[in-house]
Amino acid sequence: MLGVGGGIAAYKACEVLRGLTESGHDVRVVPTEAALNFVGAATFEALSGHPVHTGVFTEVPEVQHVRVGREADLVLVVPATADLLARAAHGLANDLLTSTLLTARCPVAFFPAMHTEMWEHPATRDNVALLRSRGVIVTEPDSGRLTGKDTGKGRLADPQEIVDLARLLLAEPRALPRDLEGLRVVISAGGTREPLDPVRYLGNRSSGKQGYALARVAAQRGAEVTLVAAHTVALPDPAGVDVRHVSTAAELRTAVHEAAKQADVVVMAAAVADFRPANRADYKIKKSDDQPDPVISLDRNPDILAELVQNRLPGQIIVGFAAETGDERGSVLDHARVKFRRKGSDLLVVNAVGEGKAFEVEDNAGWLLSADGAERPIPLGSKAQLAAAMWDSVVALTKR
Ligand code: CTP
């Protein structure tokens, strides 16, 4: 079920609806009366293929609020206005949406959007805390452009991010507990680029999707997140995350070490170039018939993960990633075990890569190796599911 509140961001609920129906989900839309000032019922009916009502006095024999609430596998509220959060927190049931919220027994997730002052008001803070204390998910809004020319915290999370989190909750209803509250985490993501000349570089095929999923899930589990992002495919900045964009391995190294000084957890999900061209040409390298073809010589880049392990703060948890293909000398897991010993991190997330696996795809599978010798397989699932599994292991380590 997709509840829609009466805020300007209601138009983005259409994109969320589209994303959910396109991935095969059957969605009932329940807007508030106010939401229909922003988007007409016909739009929601056309996109969902179901009739749309706002009150409990239509189709009375169907007892809609009970039926919709009982049948739903997931309730999303997009956008959640301050008024809706208040009504939900206090159990009001004065329209179809709030009545349904009381009958739903599945996970319920609110995606807030409002002006910064409204989000920060003690009344809203208390309502959010009350809802969260009951296990209801209230996600962090994004920062950025609000309704008019103003900017600040209170912007609706990107629709793609909402669809992603919805898929996660449908697969794992308990994937977003607020168990990272008070933790500062640093995540590196994407692939670095090492310039050869002003127009060419050595790069890799990392999309950044796994690192972004880690950041998104950590932020929604309550962590304070810094995301050091090298090159990625076009991805929206995760809501509530401090994103720092970098390009080369050297820039990524500086940004990660700087952020790691205050971090409780550092996760190296970025695909960092092991080598960089020894010389960067100031001008575009030209081919020429009377000169020999150029030969590129490479210098080794520092191993950032190894440096982090060496300089770790007391109690700091460090997580590495390993992308392996396996070869005649050993399987993916054999190579990963050797790498884990060499790197000395607390956890190693192992992905099998190559032909359609891990890089540039939506789903991921692998293993989670822990320093105590445990090897936990991660079944094929979305990158958000892998992220949730990794954060579960990190939480277990914080309780040692
Ligand atoms: N890594 C790093 N600095 C580098 C290279 C890699 O911090 N210069 C980190 C990656 O972010 C990842 C882990 O090390 O968390 C393993 O990366 P991977 O490329 O699988 O391993 P390498 O150490 O580069 O080993 P190899 O390429 O020889 O398999």
Side-chain angles (χ1 to χ4, degrees):
M1 181 192 124
L2 177 64
V4 184
I8 179 65
Y11 77 94
K12 295 186 185 169
C14 301
E15 216 177 308
V16 173
L17 174 56
R18 200 56 190 252
L20 291 169
T21 54
E22 273 178 7
S23 47
H25 299 293
D26 183 27
V27 187
R28 299 292 299 227
V29 182
V30 183
T32 61
E33 200 56 45
L36 297 183
N37 287 316
F38 295 96
V39 180
T43 304
F44 293 131
E45 290 186 342
L47 290 175
S48 70
H50 291 293
V52 163
H53 306 292
T54 59
V56 289
F57 298 109
T58 38
E59 294 184 27
V60 173
E62 294 250 322
V63 203
Q64 280 196 78
H65 62 290
V66 179
R67 188 169 57 86
V68 176
R70 277 192 190 147
E71 285 178 1
D73 298 304
L74 174 67
V75 173
L76 304 176
V77 181
V78 182
T81 57
D83 176 68
L84 254 181
L85 290 170
R87 289 196 281 145
H90 296 281
L92 298 191
N94 46 0
D95 60 7
L96 181 58
L97 174 50
T98 46
S99 304
T100 309
L101 288 173
L102 290 181
T103 58
R105 292 293 175 270
C106 58
V108 175
F110 288 86
F111 290 84
M114 64 196 74
H115 274 86
T116 313
E117 293 82 351
M118 296 175 89
W119 175 248
E120 287 174 352
H121 193 283
T124 307
R125 305 307 319 144
D126 286 352
N127 291 330
V128 169
L130 190 54
L131 287 165
R132 283 178 176 164
S133 72
R134 294 184 193 135
V136 172
I137 296 158
V138 183
T139 70
E140 287 300 311
D142 207 351
S143 293
R145 182 92 186 267
L146 300 174
T147 319
K149 290 204 171 89
D150 44 350
T151 57
K153 190 157 185 172
R155 196 179 144 86
L156 185 72
D158 189 275
Q160 192 187 320
E161 173 165 359
I162 297 175
V163 172
D164 216 49
L165 291 173
R167 279 185 67 206
L168 172 63
L169 289 168
L170 284 166
E172 313 232 356
R174 277 179 285 279
L176 295 179
R178 290 199 63 88
D179 55 358
L180 297 176
E181 230 148 27
L183 288 185
R184 285 167 298 187
V185 311
V186 178
I187 300 158
S188 70
T192 60
R193 285 182 186 173
E194 309 300 313
L196 280 158
D197 69 13
V199 293
R200 303 182 180 98
Y201 57 84
L202 296 179
N204 60 66
R205 291 172 55 197
S206 171
S207 66
K209 287 182 181 173
Q210 183 60 67
Y212 272 58
L214 288 164
R216 198 172 287 148
V217 171
Q220 301 309 351
R221 284 169 75 149
E224 197 183 303
V225 184
T226 303
L227 176 62
V228 179
H231 296 273
T232 65
V233 295
L235 296 174
D237 283 356
V241 169
D242 175 11
V243 187
R244 303 186 189 167
H245 293 279
V246 296
S247 183
T248 62
E251 288 168 16
L252 186 128
R253 177 174 178 242
T254 307
V256 166
H257 283 313
E258 186 54 38
K261 284 182 200 156
Q262 280 96 36
D264 300 293
V265 186
V266 186
V267 184
M268 283 296 295
V272 184
D274 285 323
F275 301 97
R276 63 180 181 279
N279 299 299
R280 185 202 154 155
D282 290 334
Y283 303 103
K284 188 178 170 202
I285 300 167
K286 293 283 191 191
K287 57 183 173 303
S288 146
D289 289 337
D290 34 73
Q291 295 283 328
D293 287 342
V295 174
I296 300 167
S297 58
L298 300 171
D299 284 342
R300 181 86 86 90
N301 278 331
D303 186 326
I304 305 165
L305 180 59
E307 290 177 339
L308 287 165
V309 169
Q310 234 163 38
N311 305 314
R312 87 166 76 204
L313 303 173
Q316 192 176 53
I317 295 168
I318 297 173
V319 185
F321 268 68
E324 300 291 345
T325 59
D327 54 25
E328 67 287 347
R329 283 175 299 132
S331 67
V332 168
L333 209 44
D334 294 333
H335 286 295
R337 288 183 188 123
V338 173
K339 188 170 286 181
F340 192 30
R341 278 196 292 278
R342 178 159 51 84
K343 300 262 181 178
S345 58
D346 300 285
L347 289 172
L348 188 76
V349 183
V350 185
N351 288 141
V353 293
E355 295 320 297
K357 285 194 211 134
F359 285 131
E360 298 161 350
V361 293
E362 298 307 325
D363 289 343
N364 224 349
W367 291 267
L368 254 172
L369 310 189
S370 317
D372 63 6
E375 295 184 354
R376 177 177 163 199
I378 303 172
L380 187 67
S382 68
K383 291 186 175 180
Q385 272 175 273
L386 189 146
M390 193 211 77
W391 289 119
D392 289 345
S393 295
V394 168
V395 169
L397 287 180
T398 63
K399 295 191 174 138
R400 276 180 308 193

